[in-house]
Amino acid sequence: MPPVSRRSFIKGLGASALLSPFMGARAWADDAAPLRLVVFFSPNGTIHQHWRPTGGDTSFNFQAGSILEPLDAIRDDVLILDGINFLTATNHEGGMGAMLTGGGASGETGGKSLDQYIAAELNHPTRFSSLELGVQTSNWGGGMQTRMSYSGAGSYVTPDDRPANVFERLFGDVSQDAQALEKLRARRLSVLDLVRDETAALKPKLGMRERIKLDEHLESIRRLELSFEDSSTQDCSTPALAAISGPTTNASFPIVGQAQMDLLVTSLACDMTRVASLQWSHTVSPTVFTWLGMNEGHHALSHCDDSNTAGVANFVHAERWYAEQFVHLVQSLKQRSDPLGPGSLLDNTVVLWAKEMGDSRLHNCESVPFVIAGGSNSPFGLGRYLQLNNTAHNHLLVSICESFGLNNQTFGDPSVGSGSISELFG
């Protein structure tokens, strides 16, 4: 009998998809591979002299008053990437469309965005293959300017920008009485019996290494069974959600963002999904940061030239606010236990902060800012600032796929080139 490949072995465990929406067996991948991907997007590019750290590699510093200075609180958990170019797009709309897709519908990723490609390839045994959350992403409707996730070429995945809707999707079916919950628990236990039988039947077909992994899988099922028998062991509870009046109004922007971050972290802590994204507005974002005392839209501020010192200062202030939200998300992941093993959620998660443009005043996609965050099990070398000298961002997307154990050599337009960026890995 021919040997069973790792990918076939993973798919052979597909019955695990029937498990609880809260818990699931750990995906079979290399030990160093992360379990989760989170994409965090903020719009309208940057002003590089107010973004770039000083120094390089591990000997870098955030300039006082700079956009990234709030990241000093998580310095050891981040990898800051400079010098990454989009070779397949430029300007606002083009950058938004290519940011996570790599541009082009041909090639092995088929026009999917990074989040959707990883979710489809790993086929995690979770209730949702991915979750797309937004903050005022629907005000302008659906189009290339307002969407960053794609299930295929030209097929948008619409983020949900209403926390009440997200809450209902995540927790609507668990707000039941005790009798209904007991029936749900019994059904889950019966599914575990089915999964145990199916996985045990695989054992004679596997080599020694795969048998060891299968034994570990069966043990994880046993632990999962015990967790259902004693629900108090589950580190997952339905969060409180404050009512938000007018979630699509400008004034609600920071409140909606906070709620969406809380729901995103909770969905990971409950193992409802292992791929999630948070999209703050969209390119050409008109958001007015009134809570910071501003009266001019973010997009207009992003185009202020250096002679407009007040406008540039306001743009930097707004960008620092986004940096603070990123820090909050990373710290929230760091503070929550991983339901699938020791450590925190952050320890087994790749968090990507993406933007769609470089210097928006030039309407280009050169030196587009990217930040990767993670924890103790990250495959990337954290606590560094890398200057990558005009590297195509397609290679960054390949690198993230590689960190999850995937084998694609290109992402998006294959004419850009193949391979990952070796300098990223620790």
Side-chain angles (χ1 to χ4, degrees):
M1 177 177 293
V4 179
S5 70
R6 186 180 72 177
R7 177 126 342 151
S8 297
F9 179 66
I10 294 171
K11 290 183 177 179
L13 300 179
S16 299
L18 298 174
L19 298 182
S20 159
F22 298 137
M23 302 284 283
R26 181 172 181 136
W28 296 128
D30 294 338
D31 291 340
L35 292 173
R36 306 174 190 86
L37 172 69
V38 173
V39 178
F40 176 104
F41 166 80
S42 65
N44 292 333
T46 194
I47 300 176
H48 289 104
Q49 64 264 38
H50 296 288
W51 178 86
R52 287 190 171 108
T54 59
D57 205 283
T58 58
S59 300
F60 72 92
N61 292 291
F62 299 110
Q63 299 180 65
S66 67
I67 290 168
L68 293 186
E69 186 185 18
L71 271 61
D72 199 44
I74 54 172
R75 175 193 175 98
D76 293 339
D77 301 322
V78 296
L79 173 60
I80 300 161
L81 304 178
D82 197 356
I84 293 179
N85 295 349
F86 294 1
L87 301 187
T88 59
T90 191
N91 213 326
H92 286 283
E93 184 172 283
M96 193 73 183
M99 179 179 65
L100 297 181
T101 67
S106 62
E108 53 192 317
T109 55
K112 292 185 178 71
S113 55
L114 177 70
D115 55 326
Q116 298 304 301
Y117 182 75
I118 288 178
E121 287 295 301
L122 295 184
N123 191 24
H124 286 138
T126 54
R127 182 179 176 188
F128 302 102
S129 61
S130 64
L131 281 176
E132 296 74 38
L133 308 185
V135 185
Q136 295 182 14
T137 52
S138 62
N139 293 6
W140 287 13
M144 189 178 290
Q145 283 193 344
T146 62
R147 300 293 178 255
M148 70 178 189
S149 291
Y150 291 77
S151 60
S155 297
Y156 310 127
V157 180
T158 301
D160 193 331
D161 61 359
R162 294 175 179 265
N165 292 350
V166 177
F167 183 91
E168 181 63 25
R169 287 181 66 198
L170 296 179
F171 299 104
D173 68 338
V174 297
S175 300
Q176 305 176 48
D177 60 29
Q179 184 176 6
L181 289 174
E182 177 57 28
K183 289 181 179 178
L184 179 61
R185 185 189 71 84
R187 185 164 66 251
R188 290 169 177 164
L189 290 173
S190 68
V191 170
L192 285 174
D193 289 337
L194 172 63
V195 172
R196 186 188 296 106
D197 291 344
E198 289 189 354
T199 52
L202 282 173
K203 200 165 188 176
K205 304 176 184 179
L206 304 176
M208 181 60 69
R209 184 182 177 207
E210 286 76 17
R211 288 186 185 186
I212 293 173
K213 289 183 177 292
L214 181 58
D215 286 339
E216 293 172 352
H217 179 65
L218 291 171
E219 176 59 27
S220 73
I221 291 176
R222 175 57 183 159
R223 291 195 299 271
L224 186 57
E225 183 178 42
L226 291 173
S227 76
F228 288 155
E229 291 175 352
D230 180 8
S231 61
S232 65
T233 65
Q234 298 184 31
D235 183 22
C236 174
S237 58
T238 304
L241 181 68
I244 299 175
S245 177
T248 61
T249 63
N250 189 91
S252 297
F253 194 82
I255 303 170
V256 170
Q258 178 66 59
Q260 297 288 58
M261 286 190 286
D262 291 346
L263 288 168
L264 186 155
V265 172
T266 299
S267 73
L268 300 180
C270 295
D271 202 34
M272 291 179 172
T273 190
R274 297 180 194 167
V275 176
S277 61
L278 179 60
Q279 180 182 326
W280 294 86
S281 190
H282 47 75
T283 195
V284 197
S285 170
T287 305
V288 181
F289 284 58
T290 52
W291 57 96
L292 299 182
M294 300 180 195
N295 56 19
E296 192 170 4
H298 187 261
H299 175 239
L301 293 173
S302 74
H303 288 301
C304 291
D305 61 32
D306 291 338
S307 66
N308 185 347
T309 55
V312 169
N314 277 339
F315 180 69
V316 171
H317 194 190
E319 289 297 286
R320 283 175 60 91
W321 184 85
Y322 277 128
E324 291 166 357
Q325 308 318 301
F326 183 73
V327 170
H328 173 79
L329 176 62
V330 171
Q331 290 179 332
S332 296
L333 292 169
K334 198 171 187 176
Q335 292 163 4
R336 293 293 290 269
S337 298
D338 192 325
L340 305 182
S344 71
L345 286 175
L346 183 64
D347 287 334
N348 293 304
T349 301
V350 171
V351 187
L352 178 69
W353 180 3
K355 294 181 80 69
E356 86 287 25
M357 295 185 72
D359 190 331
S360 58
R361 300 176 300 181
L362 301 177
H363 285 93
N364 68 26
C365 295
E366 298 175 4
S367 292
V368 179
F370 283 93
V371 178
I372 293 173
S376 62
N377 295 330
S378 175
F380 299 108
L382 304 176
R384 294 187 296 157
Y385 166 45
L386 295 184
Q387 296 159 319
L388 295 170
N389 302 318
N390 302 318
T391 297
H393 90 292
N394 305 67
H395 300 300
L396 170 61
L397 302 179
V398 171
S399 300
I400 294 173
C401 290
E402 183 177 306
S403 77
F404 282 88
L406 303 181
N407 300 319
N408 56 299
Q409 290 301 300
T410 63
F411 205 104
D413 188 343
S415 69
V416 171
S418 62
S420 58
I421 306 171
S422 61
E423 295 94 326
L424 303 187
F425 296 92

